[in-house]
Amino acid sequence: MYSNNFLGVGGFSGFSFAGFGIFILLLLVWSVVWKGFALWQSAKRSEKWWFIIFLFVNTAGILEIIYLFWISKAGIPGISSPSTKTEEKS
């Protein structure tokens, strides 16, 4: 006979919708923070195409981090990129 575990306790063999919701919320906050920094930096540098890419493409912050630390070399105040650390020692 058909057993519907979806509505039962634990559902999906232990899958927790509450835990999944918290993960999505944390991912959303992470992405919005990096997207905000990258949009601000690209607008400040008058880089229209980067701004458009950041506005419409969602990569969970990965593309934004690459742009901030390696392409624009702006980073975030108080956090220096790995390439900046090696250049300062020379």
Side-chain angles (χ1 to χ4, degrees):
M1 180 144 191
Y2 178 72
S3 173
N4 189 357
N5 286 334
F6 178 71
L7 298 175
V9 176
F12 292 144
S13 300
F15 179 78
S16 169
F17 284 109
F20 184 69
I22 290 170
F23 172 75
I24 293 297
L25 180 64
L26 290 174
L27 183 64
L28 177 68
V29 169
W30 168 266
S31 181
V32 167
V33 167
W34 286 109
K35 187 173 290 289
F37 281 126
L39 284 168
W40 175 71
Q41 187 65 31
S42 63
K44 187 171 126 178
R45 294 169 46 109
S46 298
E47 296 175 335
K48 177 176 69 172
W49 290 110
W50 278 111
F51 187 89
I52 291 169
I53 290 169
F54 294 138
L55 194 59
F56 293 109
V57 177
N58 291 317
T59 60
I62 296 168
L63 182 61
E64 291 85 350
I65 292 169
I66 291 170
Y67 172 78
L68 287 170
F69 289 104
W70 286 283
I71 295 173
S72 75
K73 295 185 179 158
I76 297 176
I79 301 175
S80 59
S81 65
S83 61
T84 306
K85 288 179 183 176
T86 57
E87 291 171 2
E88 290 174 357
K89 291 180 182 178
S90 301

